[in-house]
Amino acid sequence: MTARTTGHRPGAARLRRRLAGTAVALVAALGLAACANPVPEPTPDAVPAVPPPALTVAQSTNVLDQVGTVLAAGDQALDATGLGARLSGPALAIRSAEYVRATATNGERAPVAIPTTAQTTITPDTTSWPRTQMVVTTQPDDLQAPLLLVLTQDGPRDPYRLWSWARLGPSVQMPLTATPEEGSEPVAIDDTSLLLPPGEAVAQYADVLTNGDASSYAATFPADFFRTAITEARNQTAASLQAVATVAETVAPVAGAVTSLRTADGGAIVVGELSTVTTATLSQGSITLNDPFDAALAGKGSVSSNLVRTWTDVVAMYVPPAGGAQQVTVLAAEHARTAVTGE
């Protein structure tokens, strides 16, 4: 008689016990691994105590290089067509006129040398636009004074463009500003923390240039190199034409064309555009435009009624904080003929 087996296969119980032991060991191993290597959690970067400036020194250097490339191409061809890519405002107007002058004089009166290497960089500390940076250049090759450049960016997708340049006055000391790594605060055109709001400072200085010591604002602006040069040029023009014409000259601020950055002492470097109009009204005869630049801008060689010369000016000044010094210091300036008309 043959023996019968049960319904369980031999060793099944032992297999179940072995699998159960393996599962327990695996869970234990995973538990130990979890204790030894916790799952990493993302940690945000620490917020700096002082937010970074809107433009680093490296970025500023790159901007200057690009401006220099555009200037070099325009200067080589004496063609202003491509300047708008990196120039704007008074810089664009003055450079365009300089090309007319250089062409009219067969290259004898070349455009102003504009270095694009910085010895001092003043970066903006802001999260909004437009933005302004200022640069004091190295000395130009023509051994003229270093230039104060103003570069502006209208919006986040716009490049920085050279808005103006102005020559530093003799023995001028630039006021202290924040380091480029910290950035300098932009100052609004109507800011009242200064001796004068920036817009008002530029307008009052224009009145002083027009009226000299007779200006009601003269006490706020001590004699300076630019005011002296403008007055002397005006007197020379009047003297040269006194036999045939009377000469009048007015200086006015260009509306809204003011930009400013805070200095370390709470004051501001204020840069504004001015327009100087010199009008010679003839009493007899005519005026021959002996200067080929005048003739090129006017499109004629002489006038018999009046001669109007328009100059684009840039002035940079230090305006102290309210409650401190009671005078404004002119730091740099530029005076360039950009239009001539006559009848």
Side-chain angles (χ1 to χ4, degrees):
M1 187 170 168
T2 304
R4 294 179 178 272
T5 61
T6 62
H8 300 284
R9 288 173 295 180
R14 288 196 303 275
L15 180 61
R16 285 196 298 273
R17 287 194 298 272
R18 191 177 301 157
L19 290 174
T22 301
V24 170
L26 181 61
V27 170
L30 289 174
L32 290 172
C35 292
N37 298 294
V39 177
E41 296 182 1
T43 303
D45 293 336
V47 177
V50 178
L55 190 73
T56 66
V57 173
Q59 289 170 327
S60 176
T61 300
N62 184 52
V63 167
L64 291 173
D65 288 344
Q66 294 179 22
V67 169
T69 298
V70 169
L71 280 171
D75 292 357
Q76 177 68 30
L78 296 179
D79 183 359
T81 303
L83 292 183
R86 284 291 178 172
L87 274 70
S88 65
L92 180 57
I94 293 173
R95 203 55 162 195
S96 298
E98 287 180 340
Y99 291 168
V100 174
R101 183 185 68 195
T103 301
T105 60
N106 296 316
E108 291 183 7
R109 296 164 66 184
V112 170
I114 302 178
T116 53
T117 303
Q119 60 170 303
T120 302
T121 301
I122 308 171
T123 58
D125 175 18
T126 181
T127 57
S128 61
W129 282 268
R131 292 178 175 179
T132 295
Q133 70 156 319
M134 298 181 185
V135 170
V136 177
T137 72
T138 54
Q139 189 172 37
D141 292 337
D142 60 7
L143 301 182
Q144 295 289 324
L147 304 180
L148 175 63
L149 308 182
V150 173
L151 301 106
T152 59
Q153 183 185 37
D154 292 334
R157 292 179 177 81
D158 296 306
Y160 272 91
R161 290 181 170 90
L162 177 62
W163 185 81
S164 71
W165 70 82
R167 286 172 242 245
L168 293 183
S171 303
V172 160
Q173 294 292 320
M174 289 291 292
L176 293 176
T177 54
T179 66
E181 292 74 21
E182 295 173 326
S184 298
E185 175 196 0
V187 181
I189 195 170
D190 57 354
D191 187 284
T192 58
S193 67
L194 306 175
L195 174 65
L196 294 170
E200 215 172 293
V202 173
Q204 289 189 15
Y205 185 63
D207 189 86
V208 171
L209 290 177
T210 299
N211 299 302
D213 291 338
S215 170
S216 57
Y217 309 116
T220 306
F221 300 88
D224 65 80
F225 66 96
F226 187 53
R227 178 177 165 189
T228 298
I230 290 291
T231 302
E232 289 179 352
R234 180 185 301 156
N235 292 339
Q236 289 174 3
T237 300
S240 66
L241 296 175
Q242 62 181 344
V244 296
T246 57
V247 176
E249 186 169 86
T250 59
V251 184
V254 175
V258 177
T259 188
S260 311
L261 289 175
R262 187 78 66 184
T263 55
D265 63 356
I269 299 173
V270 176
V271 183
E273 180 183 0
L274 307 173
S275 178
T276 298
V277 178
T278 308
T279 303
T281 303
L282 274 69
S283 56
Q284 59 178 316
S286 62
I287 298 175
T288 300
L289 302 182
N290 295 318
D291 186 337
F293 182 32
D294 276 344
L297 288 176
K300 59 180 69 177
S302 65
V303 296
S304 56
S305 177
N306 60 61
L307 175 67
V308 180
R309 288 172 170 162
T310 300
W311 311 75
T312 296
D313 301 328
V314 175
V315 61
M317 58 185 74
Y318 163 68
V319 181
Q326 296 303 304
Q327 288 188 311
V328 174
T329 303
V330 174
L331 304 172
E334 197 73 13
H335 180 66
R337 203 179 325 158
T338 50
V340 176
T341 60
E343 297 177 0

